[in-house]
């Protein structure tokens, strides 16, 4: 007969900030052998692996106080993600758009998990109010909207989706290359106004042209393959040496790429090193009549310099999907009040302006919903940090049905000498079946499974770990 989980402490005192600081307890149906590089739906294979390795099925308990785990989802997170989280029994508060900062602060105070996309800014000021928060899910590639250092220093893990929308972005870039080469945007706008303007001057095939990719990661490498299939030559520049796909060729400097490419496309993260990476100097280095595409981050291209280069005829066309300042929701907001150069940008010929839709396809958003929500479930229920962008990646195999009195201890702590000795003194009265620890900068993450623990002993175990001066966050899963 299945036992009914009970709250160790019904009062909301220091101990029973329950899930937050946290006795949120373990059971994810997904086996923790699942690699961060596997398909997010491949947990059945992991289940078979776990059984083959241990002779028993992974334990599938109800997490402690599941009904109390509160999740805030903003910016219209896909239905697949919402369903995964709701099916765990979590309380899900869903909003279609981002929230103003003051409203966000009021909402975030009571939640244990928050899911966002690119518009919501989780600054230190916001996170400081999130007393119960244990994990953040970014349902997108980028994480620059989160203060990752503050989150890590307060034991809050952050997950994203580094792969799921790569194909969608790459396909958009291919479409934009063709549209720019044929001036399709201008011809379409003219015909919408009733003007028939059949011209071939300045219109080109993309076959035989050179595509220069800045940033040869998940998106850049997929784009490389698609472009070669269209008959283009591909060169790329990256800060590290990377293996080429197909006949693509890495160049040693950004200037070399800009000098040789007919089309230049940016696929880099937002970093101090990439701010205004393409400015007036770089635009001068590009071929006369070449094209620029940016679907990475709005800070990468200096847009006033791009406007000048297009007006002078140096750049024949551009496509922008991202901007330094973007509205928090849909509406008539892309004006000079948001960005002072907006009207000048909109007045240009042969420029494609899209509202940050690179990954906005049904397929990508569905896959992102699955990938990030499953990472959140694994973290809440099992403590697994595989794929976390701001924490050490630590994982243990799932507890099994043959281990009924086992407890999983998660201790996030400051990375200072002597901590393991003190933790093991606390755990010393029990048998430690398996233990793993790793560090990332000033933060360390310890996970241990201990056996022969009675439920009456869990509170004492938790309080002993909480009392250690090195503690950032303690969680006990059983």
């Amino acid at each position: 007969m299945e036992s009914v989980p009970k709250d160790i402490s019904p009062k909301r005192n220091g101990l029973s900030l329950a899930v937050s600081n946290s006795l949120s307890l373990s059971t994810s149906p997904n086996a923790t052998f699942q690699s961060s590089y596997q398909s997010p739906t491949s947990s059945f294979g992991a289940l078979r692996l776990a059984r083959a390795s241990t002779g028993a099925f992974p334990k599938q308990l109800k997490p402690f106080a599941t009904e109390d785990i509160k999740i805030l989802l903003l910016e219209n997170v896909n239905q697949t993600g919402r369903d995964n989280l709701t099916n765990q029994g979590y309380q899900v508060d869903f909003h279609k758009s981002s929230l103003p900062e003051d409203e966000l602060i009021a909402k975030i105070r009571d939640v244990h998990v928050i899911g966002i996309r690119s518009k919501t800014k989780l600054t230190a000021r916001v996170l400081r109010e999130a007393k119960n928060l244990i994990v953040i899910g970014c349902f997108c590639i980028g994480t620059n909207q989160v203060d990752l250092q503050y989150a890590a220093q307060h034991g809050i893990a952050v997950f994203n989706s580094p792969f799921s929308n790569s194909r969608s972005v790459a396909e958009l870039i291919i479409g934009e290359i063709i549209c720019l080469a044929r001036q399709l945007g201008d011809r379409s706008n003219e015909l919408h106004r009733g003007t028939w303007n059949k011209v071939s001057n300045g219109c080109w095939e993309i076959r035989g042209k050179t595509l220069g990719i800045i940033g040869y990661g998940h998106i850049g490498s997929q784009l490389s393959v698609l472009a070669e299939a269209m008959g283009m030559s591909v060169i790329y520049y990256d800060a590290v040496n990377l293996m080429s796909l197909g006949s693509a060729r890495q160049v040693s400097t950004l200037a070399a790429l800009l000098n040789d490419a007919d089309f230049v496309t940016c696929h880099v993260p937002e970093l101090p090193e990439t701010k205004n990476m393409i400015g007036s100097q770089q635009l001068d280095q590009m071929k006369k009549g070449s094209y620029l595409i940016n679907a990475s981050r709005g800070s990468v291209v200096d847009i006033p310099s791009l406007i000048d280069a297009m007006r002078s005829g140096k750049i024949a066309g551009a496509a922008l999907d991202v901007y330094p300042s973007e509205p928090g929701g849909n509406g008539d907001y892309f004006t000079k009040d948001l960005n002072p150069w907006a009207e000048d940008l909109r007045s240009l010929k042969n420029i494609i302006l899209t509202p940050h839709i690179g990954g906005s396809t049904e397929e990508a958003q569905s896959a992102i919903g699955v990938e990030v929500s499953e990472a959140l479930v694994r973290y809440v229920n099992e403590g697994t940090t595989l794929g976390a962008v701001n924490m050490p990646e630590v994982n243990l195999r799932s507890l099994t049905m043959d281990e009924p009195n086992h407890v999983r201890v998660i201790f996030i702590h400051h990375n200072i000498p002597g901590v393991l000795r003190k933790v093991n003194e606390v755990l010393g009265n029990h048998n430690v079946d398996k233990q793993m620890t790793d560090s990332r900068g000033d933060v360390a993450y310890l996970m241990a499974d201990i056996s022969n623990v009675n439920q009456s002993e869990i509170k004492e175990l938790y309080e002993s770990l909480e009392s250690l001066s090195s503690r950032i966050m303690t969680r006990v899963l059983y």
Side-chain angles (χ1 to χ4, degrees):
M1 179 179 295
E2 182 177 356
S3 61
V4 179
K6 296 181 180 180
D7 193 331
I8 297 168
S9 174
K11 299 178 182 179
R12 189 166 178 80
N13 52 27
L15 169 66
S16 65
L17 287 174
V19 185
S20 58
N21 276 335
S22 158
L23 295 171
S24 58
L25 302 178
S26 163
T27 68
S28 171
N30 298 325
T32 57
F33 287 105
Q34 181 173 342
S35 165
S36 60
Y37 294 98
Q38 286 180 301
S39 164
T41 57
S42 64
S43 57
F44 183 70
L47 184 69
R48 290 200 305 268
L49 177 60
R51 190 182 185 196
S53 301
T54 65
F57 284 102
K59 187 188 297 185
Q60 299 185 16
L61 301 175
K62 293 287 185 183
F64 168 81
T66 302
E67 65 276 11
D68 293 332
I69 298 177
K70 297 179 181 179
I71 299 181
L72 177 62
L73 295 181
L74 303 177
E75 304 182 66
N76 204 27
V77 167
N78 191 266
Q79 187 69 46
T80 56
R82 286 142 54 191
D83 289 345
N84 275 351
L85 297 170
T86 301
N87 290 341
Q88 290 288 320
Y90 305 152
Q91 296 179 13
V92 178
D93 182 10
F94 168 74
H95 295 258
K96 286 190 174 182
S97 63
S98 60
L99 299 176
E101 187 173 71
D102 289 342
E103 188 176 347
L104 176 61
I105 286 174
K107 284 274 189 184
I108 206 173
R109 286 192 175 112
D110 295 328
V111 303
H112 309 106
V113 180
I114 184 169
I116 63 172
R117 292 175 68 189
S118 58
K119 300 293 186 296
T120 301
K121 308 300 181 185
L122 296 181
T123 63
R125 177 174 180 262
V126 173
L127 294 176
R128 194 174 295 118
E129 302 295 326
K131 304 301 183 184
N132 292 344
L133 194 65
I134 61 172
V135 62
I136 297 166
C138 296
F139 287 77
C140 52
I141 291 180
T143 56
N144 57 292
Q145 67 275 37
V146 180
D147 190 328
L148 297 177
Q149 183 176 5
Y150 184 94
Q153 290 172 346
H154 292 78
I156 303 168
V158 180
F159 293 88
N160 71 334
S161 177
F163 315 113
S164 294
N165 70 358
S166 300
R167 176 70 183 205
S168 295
V169 178
E171 287 187 2
L172 177 67
I173 303 305
I174 290 292
E176 289 177 335
I177 290 171
I178 296 172
C179 287
L180 291 174
R182 298 295 298 274
Q183 302 177 12
L184 292 185
D186 289 354
R187 297 296 86 77
S188 177
N189 289 335
E190 290 161 356
L191 206 53
H192 274 278
R193 296 192 300 265
T195 301
W196 185 277
N197 185 23
K198 182 178 179 180
V199 296
S200 59
N201 184 44
C203 297
W204 311 94
E205 293 182 355
I206 68 169
R207 178 182 55 176
K209 305 301 185 294
T210 298
L211 174 63
I213 301 173
I214 304 174
Y216 202 67
H218 305 306
I219 295 171
S221 56
Q222 283 208 39
L223 175 59
S224 170
V225 174
L226 296 178
E228 284 200 343
M230 302 286 293
M232 301 187 78
S233 299
V234 176
I235 58 176
Y236 64 92
Y237 170 73
D238 201 287
V240 297
N241 290 326
L242 296 169
M243 183 182 72
S244 303
L245 298 182
S247 300
R249 175 174 57 87
Q250 185 166 8
V251 295
S252 58
T253 65
L254 177 59
L257 181 141
L258 298 173
N259 289 335
D260 291 345
D262 300 301
F263 295 84
V264 174
T265 179
C266 303
H267 302 284
V268 295
E270 185 174 64
L271 299 170
E273 296 82 0
T274 61
K275 183 176 177 61
N276 292 333
M277 187 178 193
I278 304 296
S280 58
Q281 179 182 350
Q282 289 74 30
L283 291 164
D284 286 342
Q285 293 171 341
M286 292 175 63
K287 286 183 176 181
K288 181 175 175 58
S290 58
Y291 305 84
L292 177 67
I293 300 171
N294 183 27
S296 58
R297 287 293 176 260
S299 62
V300 172
V301 174
D302 179 49
I303 293 182
S305 296
L306 174 63
I307 292 171
D308 291 341
M310 291 190 66
R311 283 175 171 169
S312 71
K314 173 72 173 181
I315 302 300
L320 302 176
D321 189 46
V322 289
Y323 310 89
S325 297
E326 299 179 357
N330 293 339
D332 298 329
Y333 304 124
F334 196 70
T335 66
K336 62 182 180 181
D337 294 331
L338 183 69
N339 293 296
W341 35 254
E343 293 181 3
D344 290 334
L345 187 68
R346 296 204 313 265
S347 69
L348 296 172
K349 293 289 188 180
N350 203 25
I351 187 161
I352 300 170
L353 304 176
T354 50
H356 204 150
I357 58 170
S360 296
T361 63
E362 295 286 355
E363 295 91 344
Q365 292 306 308
S366 177
I368 289 171
V370 171
E371 182 179 6
V372 178
S373 65
E374 289 194 349
L376 295 176
V377 168
R378 286 193 298 272
Y379 185 77
V380 171
N381 291 352
E382 299 186 1
T384 297
T385 58
L386 289 180
V389 299
N390 69 331
M391 288 276 184
E393 292 191 277
V394 177
N395 184 34
L396 292 178
R397 70 165 176 82
S398 295
L399 294 174
T400 71
M401 299 299 293
D402 292 341
E403 300 166 312
N405 295 320
H406 284 56
V407 166
R408 175 161 291 179
V409 171
I410 296 162
F411 189 65
I412 308 172
H413 61 90
H414 298 289
N415 187 21
I416 55 178
V419 175
L420 290 180
R421 174 175 55 81
K422 293 181 179 179
V423 171
N424 286 326
E425 286 175 359
V426 173
L427 304 181
N429 293 329
H430 306 277
N431 182 47
V432 179
D433 282 0
K434 48 189 180 294
Q435 179 175 321
M436 183 177 179
T437 185
D438 199 359
S439 62
R440 183 171 182 168
D442 296 331
V443 176
Y445 194 96
L446 179 146
M447 184 187 295
D449 288 347
I450 58 178
S451 58
N452 300 322
V453 181
N454 297 320
Q455 290 196 14
S456 60
E457 299 174 296
I458 294 178
K459 180 178 179 180
E460 178 184 355
L461 183 67
Y462 176 82
E463 290 178 336
S464 297
L465 292 170
E466 281 282 282
S467 68
L468 298 181
S469 61
S470 59
R471 165 211 169 268
I472 294 176
M473 182 181 290
T474 306
R475 300 176 64 207
V476 179
L477 316 178
Y478 72 103

